[in-house]
Amino acid sequence: MRTLLIVFVFLLPPALDCEWNQWRGPNRDGKSSETGLLADWPQDGPRLLWQVESLGSGYSSLAAADGLLISQGLEAGEQFLIALDAASGETVWKTAHGRRYSNRRGDGPRGTPTVDGDRVYALGGDGNLICVEVRTGAKVWEKNVLRVYGGRNISWGISESPLVDGDRVIVNAGGPRASVVALNKETGAELWKTQSDEAGYSSPVVAVIGGKRQYVVFTGEAGIGVLAENGELLWRYAPVSNSTANIATPIVHDDLVFLSSAYGTGCALLRIGDSGGSVSASEIYFSRSMMNHYSSSILIDGYLYGFSGRILTAMQLETGEVGWKHRSVGKGQIIHADGKLYILSEDGVVGLIDPDPGEYREIARFEFEPGDYPTWTLPVISSGVLYLRDQARMFAYDIKAR
């Protein structure tokens, strides 16, 4: 019986929280739970396992689950979801959805798919939200949230990655009295809608603060918290919003919420608490020391590591005190795994950084020749492999220590 139990355990699929199943990883914080990765890289970078050019145009990052890499792209005027075999890069399925999205800063989808159980949810650059089966790509339902809720597309296209929480899919649809909407994840039917802010480029996170489960959303006009159950507004904070583009994902730590934007604005740390029976957001500090543009900071041991403009910055979360600033490998996207920061610059330079709050410590770097647009797509680490996307191209690097 004991032998059978051991065999059964080894036959189980890997736990979802060990996979990069959505935007910024399982907890939307930019952190991977992977260990046993290379502590350093050869001069020309880790070993390249495979490279494909099948993803089409777009900046969508990846969801990695059940041996698949799922992303979005645009090719021959058609927007689509695509699943690749993680071991080989071969296309497993491809599902068209929505309409072509074009922009002078690059065509195609921006948002990253979210895998939840046997379903994938993705939001296209045109506002089309689709749900498909993970294994086959067969369409379950779809809804264009801009058209249904009366929102307008924003300057560089809808870029949000949908949040799945319990039986709900949460998106910032940006419509009148429907800025944030909750849909039934099985059918796409509306559960609730709230507020009237224009859509931002940011993606929501879920948090439990003071016993209240809420969605923290950086809309096009403010950081807000809404009650998960019915969308009731709990708090609102507008000073951190700019009039151009709110992009970075909110960071929640205990009862603290960190929000940041660029274009000369800055960052704020809020304490979410109870005030006379109602929820309030009290400003702890507002600072211009961390102005996140298109990438989000990562919180490690009390310090935020992120790009303030073009400068990589280490800043203490609770005080806003800056530890150091450095140009690093160039402005880019950041993730964290096995005690290291992985940075993909917008110029195709990849860096391995030791997150030391006292000084900038670069371990290694390598680079590849970028295409016609900046390499803005968030890297992904899954099963000991570092995946990098540059528009239609995908690179898979072996970073597992042997």
Side-chain angles (χ1 to χ4, degrees):
M1 189 70 182
R2 181 179 178 184
T3 301
L4 286 173
L5 179 60
I6 292 171
V7 171
F8 175 73
V9 168
F10 275 97
L11 287 175
L12 285 174
L16 191 61
D17 63 2
C18 292
E19 298 189 87
W20 195 278
N21 66 306
Q22 61 177 329
W23 169 245
R24 302 194 78 219
N27 299 309
R28 295 202 160 202
D29 58 4
K31 300 177 186 177
S32 167
S33 60
E34 299 235 354
T35 56
L37 304 180
L38 290 172
D40 199 352
W41 295 337
Q43 187 173 358
D44 56 352
R47 181 169 65 99
L48 180 64
L49 296 172
W50 52 258
Q51 175 184 342
V52 296
E53 299 187 11
S54 55
L55 276 74
S57 303
Y59 295 107
S60 177
S61 187
L62 315 171
D66 296 328
L68 296 177
L69 305 172
I70 304 174
S71 192
Q72 297 192 89
L74 177 73
E75 192 173 59
E78 183 178 75
Q79 178 177 261
F80 55 82
L81 261 172
I82 185 170
L84 306 182
D85 180 89
S88 66
E90 293 181 3
T91 299
V92 176
W93 54 256
K94 194 173 178 180
T95 303
H97 80 97
R99 296 181 178 179
R100 173 189 179 97
Y101 176 76
S102 299
N103 189 277
R104 61 183 177 83
R105 299 299 288 165
D107 300 340
R110 282 89 163 95
T112 299
T114 300
V115 175
D116 177 71
D118 60 356
R119 298 284 188 265
V120 181
Y121 303 84
L123 194 57
D126 66 334
N128 196 68
L129 178 64
I130 188 172
C131 170
V132 306
E133 295 178 357
V134 169
R135 301 310 312 178
T136 66
K139 189 181 301 181
V140 179
W141 58 263
E142 67 181 322
K143 173 183 286 191
N144 189 294
V145 296
L146 292 180
R147 186 165 59 246
V148 171
Y149 293 105
R152 70 172 185 88
N153 209 336
I154 45 185
S155 298
W156 295 286
I158 294 294
S159 304
E160 179 185 8
S161 305
L163 171 67
V164 179
D165 179 46
D167 65 348
R168 309 178 190 100
V169 181
I170 309 301
V171 293
N172 183 195
R177 296 177 298 282
S179 175
V180 182
V181 299
L183 307 176
N184 183 293
K185 73 177 184 181
E186 300 294 336
T187 66
E190 180 187 306
L191 298 174
W192 52 254
K193 57 186 179 180
T194 186
Q195 307 306 299
S196 295
D197 291 8
E198 181 179 68
Y201 299 85
S202 177
S203 296
V205 297
V206 61
V208 178
I209 305 175
K212 294 182 184 295
R213 191 174 190 83
Q214 59 185 272
Y215 303 126
V216 180
V217 188
F218 198 8
T219 72
E221 300 175 35
I224 64 174
V226 300
L227 196 62
E229 180 182 355
N230 58 16
E232 174 191 346
L233 181 67
L234 297 174
W235 57 269
R236 179 181 180 87
Y237 181 83
V240 74
S241 173
N242 61 57
S243 58
T244 305
N246 298 328
I247 307 173
T249 303
I251 295 172
V252 180
H253 177 68
D254 296 332
D255 62 347
L256 302 176
V257 173
F258 178 82
L259 300 164
S260 181
S261 73
Y263 301 97
T265 305
C267 64
L269 184 67
L270 311 176
R271 174 164 277 115
I272 311 302
D274 188 282
S275 178
S278 62
V279 178
S280 64
S282 303
E283 182 184 289
I284 297 176
Y285 63 75
F286 185 95
S287 170
R288 288 186 169 83
S289 295
M290 184 72 83
M291 294 188 286
N292 293 150
H293 184 206
Y294 56 76
S295 67
S296 305
S297 296
I298 294 179
L299 178 62
I300 304 168
D301 297 331
Y303 271 79
L304 293 162
Y305 296 87
F307 281 93
S308 182
R310 306 193 66 85
I311 309 299
L312 185 62
T313 302
M315 188 179 84
Q316 192 171 34
L317 172 69
E318 296 196 9
T319 66
E321 180 181 352
V322 173
W324 50 259
K325 289 179 174 287
H326 198 281
R327 290 192 176 274
S328 186
V329 297
K331 179 182 179 181
Q333 295 277 16
I334 312 173
I335 59 173
H336 177 268
D338 200 15
K340 305 290 191 297
L341 294 174
Y342 292 73
I343 301 177
L344 171 61
S345 87
E346 61 185 20
D347 300 315
V349 184
V350 189
L352 184 65
I353 313 299
D354 184 2
D356 184 333
E359 61 177 336
Y360 174 77
R361 296 177 60 188
E362 183 175 313
I363 299 168
R365 68 167 68 187
F366 72 96
E367 59 186 288
F368 58 87
E369 187 67 30
D372 296 332
Y373 292 101
T375 45
W376 280 338
T377 299
L378 187 76
V380 165
I381 293 173
S382 179
S383 300
V385 179
L386 172 65
Y387 297 100
L388 305 177
R389 178 179 180 178
D390 177 26
Q391 296 291 323
R393 296 186 297 169
M394 175 86 75
F395 305 91
Y397 293 93
D398 182 7
I399 57 169
K400 192 74 176 175
R402 298 290 187 262

